Amino acid sequence: MYGPANTALHELQHSTYVRFSLLAFSSIFFLVDPFAAIGSFLAITAGADGPRRKRMAFKASLTCFIVLTAFAFAGQFIFSLFGIKLPAFEIAGGLILLLIGIDMLEAKRSPTQESSDETIEATAKEDAGIVPLGIPMLAGPGAISSVMVLVGQAPNYWQMFAIVGSIAITAVASYGVLNGASRVQKLLGETGIRILVRIMGLLLVALAVQFFVNGLTDLGVIAKQV
């Protein structure tokens, strides 16, 4: 016999809205991955005082939100403009996610998110909050691809709300992590951050495979599971 609490939990677990929202948040947050950006952020902001570091963290997070939200609303238009079908983008997005996830399993930032040249160049900038911190370090090709795939799978307004909400939560969390980068690094340590990045990488690889499966299923290569 299910009690009221168990029944509510069972319904919550099988709710389409909850499942899609969790998928949207996890894929976006893991790809933005502010924890892996801590080292680069501290290197770029070395010598900066507290208020300036806080401003750069805010600009980076705001840039991430604006860029990803823009692609969320422009996703369908881009698909139509270039004649791209969702299955093709699911497979392409899955490939990008897989490459990023493999790099994360090795506890390192993917070159699609940042390169050593960009980090070195950013250290000489007066304000690197928008470029390269905001884009591509936070809002990189992987996060943009993930958002566009999610938009292609979102025919309803509530799903779009879940995507934009996930972007907003991720941006706020990124600001908190970057603004407190020194404290987070001391709390987790290098080993803790690497373990966290590897766990995110494992989940990201699983999401990449799911994107592949969805794309092949939509193309009819794989039979749809009922």
Side-chain angles (χ1 to χ4, degrees):
M1 291 290 292
Y2 283 111
N6 289 333
T7 302
L9 181 61
H10 184 267
E11 290 177 354
L12 189 64
Q13 289 175 335
H14 290 81
S15 168
T16 304
Y17 177 78
V18 172
R19 290 170 64 184
F20 183 85
S21 298
L22 288 174
L23 171 65
F25 175 72
S26 58
S27 58
I28 293 171
F29 184 80
F30 293 162
L31 281 162
V32 171
D33 193 11
F35 291 101
I38 287 176
S40 298
F41 178 79
L42 291 175
I44 290 170
T45 59
D49 55 19
R52 185 177 162 215
R53 181 174 289 182
K54 187 174 183 178
R55 282 197 303 272
M56 278 200 263
F58 177 77
K59 284 185 179 180
S61 304
L62 182 61
T63 300
C64 175
F65 174 77
I66 291 173
V67 170
L68 295 184
T69 302
F71 275 97
F73 284 105
Q76 294 291 357
F77 173 74
I78 293 173
F79 284 150
S80 301
L81 181 64
F82 293 100
I84 302 172
K85 300 299 182 183
L86 178 61
F89 211 91
E90 285 176 327
I91 294 172
L95 178 59
I96 295 174
L97 265 63
L98 182 62
L99 293 174
I100 295 174
I102 290 173
D103 282 330
M104 289 173 67
L105 286 174
E106 298 177 6
K108 64 181 182 180
R109 293 280 281 180
S110 170
T112 62
Q113 294 172 297
E114 67 179 86
S115 66
S116 56
D117 291 340
E118 287 174 331
T119 304
I120 294 171
E121 183 182 348
T123 57
K125 284 187 173 183
E126 183 68 22
D127 191 340
I130 298 176
V131 179
L133 284 173
I135 181 171
M137 288 187 184
L138 294 182
I144 292 171
S145 300
S146 179
V147 166
M148 292 184 66
V149 169
L150 290 167
V151 168
Q153 299 172 343
N156 301 319
Y157 287 112
W158 67 262
Q159 290 173 318
M160 278 298 298
F161 178 79
I163 294 171
V164 175
S166 297
I167 294 172
I169 294 171
T170 298
V172 172
S174 297
Y175 170 72
V177 171
L178 294 181
N179 186 43
S182 299
R183 294 189 296 274
V184 174
Q185 189 179 51
K186 288 179 182 177
L187 179 65
L188 297 178
E190 287 295 332
T191 302
I193 291 176
R194 288 178 182 177
I195 291 173
L196 191 60
V197 170
R198 285 192 172 103
I199 292 172
M200 288 184 176
L202 178 61
L203 295 172
L204 197 56
V205 169
L207 284 171
V209 173
Q210 187 61 56
F211 278 4
F212 273 122
V213 172
N214 290 346
L216 294 174
T217 301
D218 291 340
L219 288 172
V221 177
I222 298 177
K224 188 173 183 179
Q225 299 296 319
V226 180

